[in-house]
Each structure stands twice: as structure tokens, then as C-alpha cells.
């Protein structure tokens, strides 16, 4: 496992601060640690969930609470029209715990099969996505948690594990340029969603229509599936990009 680390709150700008030196890919391939403006670590959530504010557009939820009571699935798939304080942190923290369990299982399997298991999760939608309004939209509107399997792949931290997995080293950071491209695309989808939600709420305030609600929910679910498919498409592309950068660096 990794050396003891100080954990930063999810959504803050701090990165991991190792308490002791760690020998891994960052040491073996120094170029990965260069250009801090290009690579950043996605912070882990706090050890004890705190209380963040509610979802994007909280005023809108309050103003239309009577309508949104019937649209409960838009608030974390619960029957409540508004989230309790700290709900966002609790969801993210639960996602992190689930990922840790998955990683432990993979580490055990790698150790049993290959005798090496130095891995770390790499998040396809990184800090530049989840630490923005887009990230809060993904969590609160679409129920997509940052540490769940859809957004996670595992990469090796040392040479023996890399040879066993036949994968490039973990860059030990988010890739800012990739995050920027993802953010731009998802922000367009977020704005479409919010415009559609506004339109739906306005129409329902004029007169309740179950069919309209069903259409909106079906459209929202299709949008969620589109985001999931996009993340799945990106996984091999991003891993391939990491491998290409590392391969080129060894030729220099």
C-alpha cells in the first residue's frame, strides 16, 4: 500500500503530501512530475465527511420545491426535494470507500498471480472536472460519483507491476489538458440539462402533467447513459495517451 498521506478535502486545491519518500514511477520517470500546471492530483475525500452546500442551482430547487417534490430522483434518487447539509460529502465519501474495497481486491489478486501489486486508481474525469460546477452536477443531478468504477481505471506504480499488468505507469496526477476537453463537453450538457429542467418546471407549475415528467426523466436517464458511454470511450484513449507520452520520454 502507499505511504501514509495527509488527505485534502475533495474539491480543494491541495494535493497529496507524502509523510515520507516514496519510490515509484514518479522517481523512476521524473518527466511525469514536471509541469505542475499540466498534471494535478485528484484529492481524496476527507476522512470524516464535512458539510458542503447543496446542488448547483439550489435557489431554483427552493423556489420550486412543490414541483420538485414530485421530481425526487433529481436529488440523489430520494423522496426529499432538498438535500440535507453534508449529503454531497456523504455521497462522495461512500463512493471512495467502495473504490478502496475494489482496489484492495485487485491488489490481492495481483499479488497472488504476479507477486507485485503497486497500483493506484486513475480517474478519467479528474480534478479539473469534479472540482467544478460540472462535477457537482454529475453527482447531484445524474448520481455519478467520482470514485465509482465508471470513472476509474488502475495503473501501476512500479516496474514489476507495470510488467505484470502490461500498462503504463500511473502519472500520479490528473491531466489538465484532458480535463479541460472533458469539462467543455460536459458543461454544454449541464447547461442543456438545466435549461430543460427550467422549462419542465415552468410547464409543471402551469399544470401538472405526468407524461411531461416521464419524458423529462427518460431524457435525463439517456443523458446519464451518454456521459457513462463517453467515460468508457475515454478510458483506453487516455491510457494510450499516457503510454505514448512515457514512451516518447524514454527516447529523449
Amino acid at each position: 500500500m502507499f505511504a501514509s498521506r495527509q488527505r485534502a478535502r475533495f474539491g480543494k486545491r491541495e494535493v497529496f503530501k507524502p509523510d515520507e519518500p516514496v519510490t515509484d514511477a514518479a522517481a523512476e520517470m521524473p518527466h511525469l512530475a514536471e509541469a505542475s500546471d499540466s498534471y494535478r492530483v485528484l484529492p481524496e475525500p476527507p476522512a470524516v465527511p464535512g458539510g458542503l452546500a447543496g446542488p448547483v442551482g439550489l435557489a431554483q430547487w427552493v423556489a420550486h420545491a412543490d414541483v420538485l417534490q414530485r421530481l425526487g430522483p433529481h436529488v440523489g434518487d430520494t423522496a426529499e426535494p432538498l438535500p440535507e447539509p453534508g449529503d454531497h460529502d456523504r455521497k462522495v465519501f461512500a463512493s471512495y470507500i467502495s473504490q478502496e474495497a475494489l482496489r484492495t481486491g485487485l491488489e490481492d489478486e495481483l499479488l497472488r498471480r504476479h507477486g507485485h501489486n503497486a497500483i493506484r486508481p486513475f480517474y478519467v474525469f479528474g480534478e479539473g472536472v469534479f472540482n467544478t460546477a460540472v462535477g457537482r452536477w454529475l453527482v447531484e443531478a445524474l448520481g455519478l460519483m467520482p470514485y465509482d468504477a465508471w470513472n476509474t481505471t488502475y495503473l501501476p506504480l512500479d516496474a514489476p507491476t507495470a510488467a505484470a499488468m502490461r500498462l503504463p505507469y500511473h502519472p500520479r496526477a490528473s491531466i489538465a489538458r484532458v480535463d479541460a476537453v472533458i469539462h467543455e463537453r460536459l458543461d454544454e450538457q449541464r447547461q442543456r440539462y438545466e435549461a430543460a429542467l427550467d422549462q419542465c418546471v415552468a410547464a409543471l407549475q402551469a399544470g401538472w402533467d405526468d407524461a411531461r415528467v416521464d419524458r423529462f426523466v427518460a431524457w435525463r436517464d439517456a443523458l446519464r447513459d451518454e456521459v457513462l458511454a463517453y467515460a468508457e470511450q475515454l478510458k483506453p484513449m487516455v491510457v494510450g495517451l499516457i503510454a505514448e507520452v512515457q514512451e516518447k520520454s524514454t527516447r529523449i
Side-chain angles (χ1 to χ4, degrees), residues 15 48 75 107 131 141 144 206 242 245:
V15 298
V48 178
V75 191
E107 286 173 336
N131 289 349
L144 296 176
I242 294 170
V245 169

Side-chain angles (χ1 to χ4, degrees), residues 4 13 81 126 149 205 231 247:
S4 173
R13 299 298 294 176
Q205 285 180 320
E247 183 180 357

Side-chain angles (χ1 to χ4, degrees), residues 1-233:
M1 297 297 289
F2 305 113
S4 173
R5 298 176 186 277
Q6 301 171 13
R7 290 177 180 171
R9 180 182 295 276
F10 177 82
K12 298 295 185 181
R13 299 298 294 176
E14 292 85 356
V15 298
F16 288 119
K17 300 175 182 178
D19 296 330
E20 58 184 270
V22 180
T23 301
D24 53 25
E28 295 177 8
M29 306 187 73
H31 68 283
L32 292 178
E34 297 175 357
S36 60
D37 61 328
S38 298
Y39 295 95
R40 292 188 60 80
V41 173
L42 177 71
E44 294 180 352
V48 178
L52 296 180
V56 172
L58 182 58
Q60 171 180 279
W61 295 90
V62 174
H64 305 306
D66 57 333
V67 173
L68 293 169
Q69 179 69 51
R70 298 289 301 276
L71 300 180
H74 299 290
V75 191
D77 291 325
T78 71
E80 298 298 326
L82 296 173
E84 293 294 327
D87 271 1
H88 182 277
D89 270 357
R90 283 190 285 271
K91 293 172 186 176
V92 171
F93 187 72
S95 170
Y96 171 72
I97 293 300
S98 176
Q99 182 278 131
E100 283 292 281
L102 182 62
R103 179 170 75 174
T104 298
L106 181 56
E107 286 173 336
D108 291 345
E109 182 68 11
L110 284 168
L111 188 62
R112 184 180 68 82
R113 286 176 174 266
H114 304 287
H116 302 280
N117 67 349
I119 59 173
R120 182 171 178 175
F122 179 83
Y123 305 106
V124 181
F125 293 4
E127 180 184 0
V129 176
F130 267 101
N131 289 349
T132 69
V134 167
R136 189 170 291 279
W137 169 69
L138 290 171
V139 171
E140 298 296 345
L142 301 186
L144 296 176
M145 303 298 119
Y147 300 97
D148 284 0
W150 70 271
N151 191 43
T152 307
T153 190
Y154 293 87
L155 295 176
L157 290 169
D158 61 20
T161 308
M165 298 179 73
R166 299 181 180 180
L167 288 172
Y169 286 111
H170 195 302
R172 293 183 59 82
S174 297
I175 303 175
R177 296 188 191 115
V178 173
D179 279 353
V181 172
I182 296 171
H183 181 276
E184 181 178 2
R185 172 166 172 166
L186 294 184
D187 196 45
E188 292 176 356
Q189 293 174 314
R190 178 183 69 87
Q191 292 179 45
R192 281 197 294 129
Y193 172 89
E194 292 183 348
L197 179 59
D198 284 342
Q199 185 178 25
C200 181
V201 167
L204 293 174
Q205 285 180 320
W208 188 261
D209 183 350
D210 285 332
R212 178 178 288 275
V213 173
D214 290 342
R215 287 196 301 272
F216 181 83
V217 170
W219 176 80
R220 179 210 63 192
D221 290 347
L223 182 60
R224 184 180 190 275
D225 290 342
E226 183 180 331
V227 172
L228 289 172
Y230 180 49
E232 197 62 29
Q233 178 186 23

